Amino acid sequence: MAVPRVIQVPGTGQDERFGRFEDIEPLFPMTELLAALSGTRRAEHPIACWCVDLLELHAQDDTWADGLAARRTDLMHAIDVWTVGHVPQHRNGARLHTETVGSVVDRIARAYARFQRAMARHDAADPRVHAAWTQVAELFVAYQDLIVEVMRGQRRLPAPEADR
């Protein structure tokens, strides 16, 4: 099955769904990301849209198939390139984080897909549902901590891999 790749404007992480990024808030709050993933709010921010795309990939049974894995990598790369282009990186004294925003958002999408599968298969009171939701909640808190630290200049992000 052929999976379409993200269409990017080189160096910007721009996806054809978005116009200019100048007026978009750089990093997306976890509450808005959760609303986009749960479908309670339409995803409009680039990071939210790409996260919903990642969720759709992780919801499929064979996420690691060649075409899907390539699409997943492209989406994480788009998030990373967009973030580097829109978030100031403070080099003086800022500790380097071990993951890019793209990889963190991918982990959130994967955990949320697991949570959705657990909810579909088990009663809400089932410990497996609770464990799946706990993982999602922990990843959301880690994401929020990361973006706050980056915006305050306390953390810096690894550079995305070379242009793909």
Side-chain angles (χ1 to χ4, degrees):
M1 168 169 122
V3 178
R5 295 174 74 86
V6 175
I7 298 171
Q8 297 178 6
V9 175
T12 66
Q14 186 169 343
D15 185 302
E16 68 180 355
R17 291 174 290 188
F18 313 110
R20 297 171 13 157
F21 288 131
E22 288 80 12
D23 298 325
I24 297 174
E25 197 62 36
L27 287 175
F28 201 59
M30 70 173 187
T31 53
E32 298 295 320
L33 195 56
L34 177 59
L37 284 174
S38 66
T40 58
R41 185 168 303 135
R42 187 172 156 263
E44 294 178 3
H45 189 283
I47 292 177
C49 290
W50 290 319
C51 187
V52 169
D53 291 348
L54 284 164
L55 174 63
E56 290 170 3
L57 290 178
H58 286 296
Q60 298 181 37
D61 287 334
D62 197 5
T63 303
W64 306 107
D66 286 343
L68 297 178
R71 173 83 172 133
R72 179 175 165 253
T73 300
D74 287 345
L75 289 165
M76 288 188 293
H77 184 69
I79 292 168
D80 294 339
V81 171
W82 187 90
T83 301
V84 167
H86 292 85
V87 177
Q89 293 293 300
H90 303 277
R91 300 282 178 211
N92 296 335
R95 294 173 295 145
L96 180 66
H97 195 269
T98 57
E99 288 186 86
T100 66
V101 173
S103 64
V104 172
V105 170
D106 178 64
R107 289 178 56 204
I108 289 170
R110 184 172 50 209
Y112 198 83
R114 273 193 230 117
F115 166 69
Q116 287 179 321
R117 282 192 295 276
M119 284 293 291
R121 295 177 182 152
H122 308 289
D123 182 69
D126 190 291
R128 291 169 284 203
V129 173
H130 176 73
W133 178 251
T134 299
Q135 184 180 29
V136 170
E138 288 172 348
L139 287 169
F140 272 121
V141 170
Y143 170 82
Q144 186 69 27
D145 289 348
L146 173 61
I147 65 172
V148 166
E149 288 178 352
V150 167
M151 296 306 287
R152 287 182 179 162
Q154 298 166 325
R155 282 276 186 185
R156 59 189 171 94
L157 300 167
E161 64 182 68
D163 279 341
R164 304 175 44 75

